[in-house]
Amino acid sequence: MKNTFGNNISITLFGESHGEAIGAILDGLPAGFEIDLDKLNWEMEKRKAKGKLSTRRHEADQVHFVSGFFEGKTTGTPLTILIENTNTRSQDYAQLKYRLRPGHADLAAFEKYNGYQDYRGGGHFSGRLTAPIVAAGAICRQILEAKGVNLATHIQSLHGISDDNFASNLDDLAKQMADLNQKEFPVLNMEASEKMVAEIEQASVNLDSVGGVLQTIVTGFPAGVGEPFFDSIESTISHLMFSIPAVKGISFGEGFGFANLYGSQANDPIIVQDGKIQTQTNRNGGINGGISNGMPIVFQTCIKPTPSIYQKQHSVNYQTKEEVILEIKGRHDPAIIHRARAVVDALCAFGLLDLWMSHQATTSFEA
């Protein structure tokens, strides 16, 4: 039962959806880094539920630092983040204790924890646990930004509706990224944004939900970071992305599109631009051999439709083994993809910072 990840820096996650509080511990952060609380709170804001596109469970998500933070700066000791749960309605789940919700972890949780798990709101399996992840990742992101590394995520597609692509020109790309990071609904094309919002609202009317694909880009990350096999950039980011409850797929660069290309099309020609070696295209998403090559890192994550829907569904009572018709109550999202963007950004920042610190530790001892 492991809830900790990381090498040079680590994150430990704790709490349940309807418990008193949720939180995370970040260990290994450098001492003396000044945390911009306004930026941190904006990252938390991007994850919050708002309007008709999200659950009606609205939490303040006020971040409390219990340790490792003093006079506005990190102390270098374990930084403990605590977020109180203030808007729970546990009675909504009383009738669901043994009724297994399709698409949820209910059956798996019973098999793992023998019925001792906190079932309310999904307990430790809930997307609620992504709130402290966002807070912890926001700090890692600020450390990367101080070193010239920036990242942004947009909804590449939602239930068949596609957004524009990221620009290949770095100046245009920088503007796109800055704009996305100021949006609550992260889409480049306004017309596509309106269609996506309408699709989510229609799914809600239909007592259903929708998913989609997020695309993340990272610029300014140095070349030479990552390991060839088990700690490659792809394996590290993939491990972290699959820690997000809704993620069911990930690809890098051209991703599964490589299957339809010849090698002559898949390879990125190597050129010299302004005295610097780089690639002419970026189909490999800034990574070769598991190691960053200096081009923007690009990856896509598939976010499944929210499993909590209001339609009647076939299920089973775990205790009696009888088949039942399940009709859930409570407050649920018709889509979580726009909120998941903040979680993807947070874990991407954490993973890349951890990898970079490993690289720095190695290079400091080179002859």
Side-chain angles (χ1 to χ4, degrees), residues 21-333:
I22 52 179
I25 300 172
L26 267 179
D27 199 4
L29 290 176
F33 182 80
E34 185 173 356
I35 298 175
D36 187 326
L37 296 180
D38 288 336
K39 284 186 176 181
L40 187 151
N41 289 332
W42 173 237
E43 293 303 312
M44 298 299 296
E45 194 70 23
K46 288 189 283 189
R47 186 203 157 275
K48 284 184 182 179
K50 299 183 185 71
K52 294 186 289 185
L53 302 185
S54 305
T55 173
R56 292 188 298 279
R57 178 182 176 180
H58 295 166
E59 291 278 3
D61 281 351
Q62 182 63 49
V63 175
H64 301 284
F65 293 112
V66 180
S67 66
F69 182 68
F70 182 64
E71 295 183 340
K73 297 180 180 180
T74 58
T75 63
T77 57
L79 188 148
T80 303
I81 294 166
L82 203 63
I83 300 173
E84 295 178 356
N85 290 325
T86 60
N87 189 16
T88 59
R89 285 193 348 202
S90 300
Q91 67 273 15
D92 291 341
Y93 296 90
Q95 302 301 318
L96 292 173
K97 181 175 181 179
Y98 296 108
R99 294 183 169 219
L100 307 174
R101 296 169 298 167
H104 282 273
D106 297 348
L107 175 57
F110 266 110
E111 296 298 326
K112 182 172 180 62
Y113 298 113
N114 301 312
Y116 293 104
Q117 74 278 5
D118 184 344
Y119 63 89
R120 301 168 301 169
H124 190 64
F125 295 90
S126 172
R128 179 79 188 122
L129 272 292
T130 61
I133 285 176
V134 170
I139 297 169
C140 298
R141 180 174 186 165
Q142 289 184 33
I143 295 173
L144 288 177
E145 288 175 346
K147 298 294 184 180
V149 179
N150 294 287
L151 61 97
T153 298
H154 74 124
I155 303 175
Q156 186 180 46
S157 65
L158 183 143
H159 207 234
I161 303 168
S162 298
D163 191 20
D164 290 344
N165 296 320
F166 279 123
S168 56
N169 178 281
L170 289 181
D171 290 336
D172 293 338
L173 175 59
K175 184 178 185 305
Q176 285 181 329
M177 294 172 68
D179 289 344
L180 281 172
N181 286 325
Q182 295 304 313
K183 291 182 177 180
E184 290 184 354
F185 194 78
V187 180
L188 296 167
N189 185 297
M190 286 306 299
E191 184 178 345
S193 177
E194 292 170 0
K195 290 180 179 178
M196 289 180 186
V197 169
E199 188 72 13
I200 295 172
E201 291 177 344
Q202 186 58 53
S204 180
V205 170
N206 296 339
L207 308 181
D208 218 327
S209 63
V210 292
V213 176
L214 292 171
Q215 184 177 51
T216 302
I217 192 163
V218 183
T219 59
F221 196 71
V225 176
E227 302 298 330
F229 290 96
F230 306 117
D231 283 331
S232 70
I233 289 182
E234 292 105 328
S235 59
T236 299
I237 291 179
S238 296
H239 191 147
L240 288 164
M241 292 305 117
F242 281 122
S243 301
I244 302 171
V247 170
K248 282 297 182 181
I250 186 168
S251 65
F252 292 83
E254 198 72 25
F256 288 94
F258 279 121
N260 300 316
L261 299 179
Y262 290 108
S264 57
Q265 298 170 310
N267 292 341
D268 296 307
I270 301 173
I271 61 172
V272 175
Q273 184 77 35
D274 299 326
K276 179 182 177 183
I277 297 176
Q278 63 180 58
T279 60
Q280 192 172 38
T281 56
N282 194 29
R283 293 187 181 92
N284 287 273
I287 307 165
N288 293 116
I291 300 169
S292 57
N293 63 20
M295 297 294 287
I297 294 172
V298 182
F299 65 92
Q300 295 75 225
T301 45
C302 176
I303 308 295
K304 73 174 185 175
T306 321
S308 293
I309 59 175
Y310 295 104
Q311 293 185 16
K312 293 181 179 180
Q313 300 177 85
H314 287 275
S315 186
V316 166
N317 183 304
Y318 185 85
Q319 188 177 44
T320 66
K321 304 298 187 291
E322 295 175 330
E323 293 187 3
V324 296
I325 298 298
L326 188 69
E327 190 172 8
I328 67 170
K329 306 297 181 183
R331 302 163 293 177
H332 308 288
D333 300 77

